[in-house]
Amino acid sequence: MLKTEFHSNQTVAFDPIPSLVSCDWNFPGQRNGEGLYNLHPYPAKFISQIPKTLIKAFNIPKDTVILDPFCGYGTTLIAAQSLGYSSIGVDLNPIACLIARVSTQDCSQNIVESATRCIQKAKATEGLISMPYIPNLDHWFKKPIQIAVFGLITAINEIEEENLRDTLRLALSSILVRVSNQDSDTRYAAINKPVEKNDVYSIFSRVCQQYMQVLHSSQEDYPNAFVLNKNILEVSPSDIPSKVGLVISSPPYPAAYEYWLYHKYRMWWLGFDPLLVKEHEIGARSHFFKKDHHTPKDFENQMQKVFKLLSKICIQNSYACFVVGNSKIHGEIIDNTELLVSAAAQENFELRTILPRNIPSNRKSFNLSNSRILTENIIILQK
Ligand SMILES: C[S@@+](CC[C@H](N)C(=O)[O-])C[C@H]1O[C@@H](n2cnc3c(N)ncnc32)[C@H](O)[C@@H]1O
């Protein structure tokens, strides 16, 4: 059904679909990932142009919010905020939620001064505090690096002001792969890197200075973004404090990316349990490669549960936009677009259009069999 827009005395049908269809969703020549969109690595992140273009295309009532039920980095939330809309993001992964919170909230205190104090404390306690148990730690981090990282995290965790503590935790998280023995964010091989204990302090300090340049200050006035760290399959309508006027999301589709694995050591260091995240992560490869493994039908059922929730919290006629690619499981291509559209239809979300786009060649995955999948779809549904 078409929404309506009132122009003087006439009622004019407003259909956003033609302008969406005529858009080039590959955004050739446009740069992505600066400032707030580049605080921390995150796999399978949206390019900011996708949520920005979608938000601009729809009439979103001002008393509603934009929801991303799999918010990851929080790209949708940052885009919504930059265009004057309040938003809500949900994600299972605590690192995702930390990034989304820090990038959308203000940090009123002086980040750099606080970072310097943490570095001083960490240096003063070097070798005096006992390490937490983290599996295989010596394989991935040299002993002196472990001492510096743990000293820093201990000092940061003592900060009372929540936004400031979150910001410094995120800054430390962002440098962990760089100071570890891990080759790169997407390659789990231990190599010998010329990193010393003092590099941990200097890189951390440099990142905090960069954060200071880009994070919101308390003087700025911007719309609210609320981040909920929860399994979406356990979210109830009462967890979502406002009516939803637009959904923009990209679900974790079967056997494509391993978000828990990507952030495994970040979670250990920050005091979270990655194994718990793995257990509930939709689409995680391990669920598809075990005895009694998950099937594409399980994914469809999970998505149907998500649409059941959306049907209760989205206003009538509102749109839900989902970006999804195909998967390859046990040698077979799985059409996730079809599964998602079928799940949506069962909860009365009507398919309005499907917009294809190319997946950028620099988007790396742990699953090499998947890297030959070169396109994804933006599925536009309407309640
Ligand atoms: C494709 S990513 C989203 C990326 C996001 N659009 C961005 O720009 O960063 C999918 C997200 O779903 C999250 N996820 C996986 N299983 C989940 C679950 N059961 N509940 C909530 N979030 C989940 C993952 O942690 C991941 O962040």
Side-chain angles (χ1 to χ4, degrees):
M1 189 189 290
L2 299 185
K3 291 174 86 174
T4 53
E5 218 180 25
F6 294 98
H7 289 289
S8 41
N9 293 332
Q10 287 174 300
T11 304
V12 180
F14 171 70
D15 186 359
I17 304 299
S19 78
L20 292 176
V21 170
S22 64
C23 177
D24 182 348
W25 292 93
N26 298 316
F27 303 102
Q30 291 192 38
R31 285 168 65 90
N32 179 51
E34 310 262 292
L36 287 175
Y37 296 102
N38 195 28
L39 296 177
H40 191 284
Y42 206 84
K45 196 164 82 167
F46 275 154
I47 56 165
S48 62
Q49 288 91 344
I50 292 181
K52 279 187 183 164
T53 308
L54 290 168
I55 293 168
K56 285 180 195 162
F58 298 105
N59 280 337
I60 309 158
K62 276 290 177 187
D63 59 345
T64 65
V65 297
I66 296 172
L67 171 75
D68 188 340
F70 301 102
C71 72
Y73 187 101
T75 318
T76 300
L77 280 56
I78 305 169
Q81 210 169 45
S82 74
L83 295 170
Y85 292 95
S86 297
S87 58
I88 298 177
V90 181
D91 206 286
L92 172 74
N93 194 304
I95 302 296
C97 293
L98 183 64
I99 306 171
R101 274 202 313 274
V102 170
S103 56
T104 53
Q105 291 174 4
D106 67 59
C107 189
S108 50
Q109 306 273 336
N110 190 324
I111 304 166
V112 176
E113 260 173 37
S114 303
T116 307
R117 267 199 301 278
C118 289
I119 292 169
Q120 283 162 353
K121 270 194 185 176
K123 285 185 174 171
T125 54
E126 272 176 13
L128 300 178
I129 36 182
S130 49
M131 284 287 165
Y133 172 71
I134 297 180
N136 251 338
L137 193 60
D138 291 348
H139 181 70
W140 294 111
F141 292 84
K142 290 184 202 131
K143 268 274 174 335
I145 305 289
Q146 295 178 19
I147 290 170
V149 170
F150 193 56
L152 276 177
I153 195 68
T154 306
I156 294 169
N157 285 344
E158 285 167 5
I159 296 173
E160 276 181 16
E161 211 256 300
E162 197 181 354
N163 286 8
L164 178 62
R165 189 173 63 238
D166 277 353
T167 306
L168 296 188
R169 278 165 65 82
L170 188 68
L172 183 61
S173 171
S174 78
I175 71 164
L176 287 175
V177 171
R178 213 176 329 161
V179 300
S180 74
N181 300 331
Q182 191 180 323
D183 188 10
S184 73
D185 268 312
T186 47
R187 188 159 181 270
Y188 259 122
I191 58 165
N192 194 13
K193 289 188 201 167
V195 189
E196 312 271 330
K197 189 169 61 188
N198 276 337
D199 296 327
V200 177
Y201 301 129
S202 60
I203 301 172
F204 172 68
S205 172
R206 215 168 40 239
V207 168
C208 290
Q209 286 168 32
Q210 289 160 1
Y211 276 21
M212 187 82 189
Q213 308 297 317
V214 291
L215 293 179
H216 294 302
S217 78
S218 55
Q219 276 88 47
E220 286 173 66
D221 195 17
Y222 48 84
N224 189 40
F226 171 69
V227 181
L228 181 62
N229 186 191
K230 199 164 175 178
N231 178 356
I232 192 69
L233 302 178
E234 288 169 6
V235 170
S236 68
S238 60
D239 289 321
I240 307 295
S242 314
K243 278 281 156 206
V244 174
L246 176 66
V247 175
I248 301 177
S249 200
S250 175
Y253 41 94
Y257 290 89
E258 299 276 286
Y259 303 93
W260 74 274
L261 182 61
Y262 188 93
H263 293 309
K264 184 160 112 178
Y265 276 88
R266 295 188 176 106
M267 286 193 258
W268 284 129
W269 277 118
L270 296 191
F272 302 113
D273 183 352
L275 301 180
L276 216 62
V277 176
K278 172 186 175 185
E279 194 183 323
H280 297 288
E281 185 173 296
I282 295 173
R285 273 179 72 72
S286 49
H287 303 320
F288 287 83
F289 291 85
K290 62 177 183 188
K291 201 165 164 261
D292 298 326
H293 58 79
H294 284 195
T295 64
K297 185 70 191 162
D298 292 317
F299 175 64
E300 184 181 335
N301 292 341
Q302 287 167 326
M303 288 303 111
Q304 192 191 335
K305 274 195 184 158
V306 175
F307 282 107
K308 194 186 257 317
L309 170 72
L310 297 183
S311 73
K312 293 180 183 148
I313 58 180
C314 292
I315 60 168
Q316 197 55 39
N317 294 336
S318 60
Y319 288 84
C321 315
F322 282 83
V323 182
V324 71
N326 286 345
S327 307
K328 194 169 179 188
I329 308 174
H330 304 296
E332 210 182 301
I333 298 283
I334 310 299
D335 186 341
N336 292 318
T337 299
E338 197 180 296
L339 295 174
L340 201 117
V341 170
S342 161
Q346 291 168 65
E347 298 300 329
N348 298 319
F349 278 83
E350 182 197 345
L351 175 64
R352 292 298 311 277
T353 191
I354 295 177
L355 311 159
R357 68 180 300 272
N358 299 327
I359 297 177
S361 56
N362 60 356
R363 199 201 278 176
K364 290 193 189 139
S365 161
F366 283 120
N367 176 6
L368 294 180
S369 66
N370 209 51
S371 59
R372 262 175 262 126
I373 292 171
L374 302 173
T375 58
E376 61 190 1
N377 289 322
I378 305 174
I379 306 168
I380 311 287
L381 304 152
Q382 190 173 21
K383 183 179 161 183

